[in-house]
Amino acid sequence: MINFRSNNNKDFVKVATVENTVDPKNTEPTIRDFSAEILPTEARFVKVVAKNFGKLPEWHQGFGGDAFIFVDEIMVK
C-alpha cells in the first residue's frame, strides 16, 4: 500500500509505503490494520494505492481468476 498527499489533486508526493505481511496461503478470514507513521504535513487530498495479488496461483481455490482487495475503512488522523 502506498500513501500520497497533494494540495491540488494533481501533483502527489509519496509519504509512506506499507508492506502486506499476511501470508498469502493463509485461508482463515483475516482482519489486519495497516498503518504508517508520517511526519506532520498539510494536504488537501490523500491518495491510497493498494495493489492486488494479480492472477491467483495454482494452490488457491480460485486458481486462474483475479485476486480481490476488500477495504472497509481508511482513516486519516
Side-chain angles (χ1 to χ4, degrees):
M1 182 179 330
I2 305 169
N3 301 302
F4 299 89
R5 68 159 179 84
S6 173
N7 286 318
N8 63 9
N9 203 24
K10 293 180 183 172
D11 304 310
F12 284 86
V13 176
K14 185 190 303 187
V15 294
T17 299
V18 180
E19 295 297 324
N20 180 358
T21 57
V22 177
D23 180 359
K25 291 187 178 182
N26 178 3
T27 59
E28 296 298 316
T30 303
I31 297 174
R32 184 64 51 102
D33 290 334
F34 294 97
S35 63
E37 292 292 325
I38 299 172
L39 295 175
T41 187
E42 290 186 22
R44 185 167 176 211
F45 301 93
V46 176
K47 181 191 312 187
V48 177
V49 177
K51 297 182 179 181
N52 73 7
F53 197 78
K55 292 288 183 189
L56 295 170
E58 197 170 301
W59 52 261
H60 193 278
Q61 66 183 5
F63 169 62
D66 293 323
F68 293 96
I69 296 176
F70 299 98
V71 177
D72 184 61
E73 295 180 8
I74 296 176
M75 296 189 308
V76 179
K77 295 181 182 182

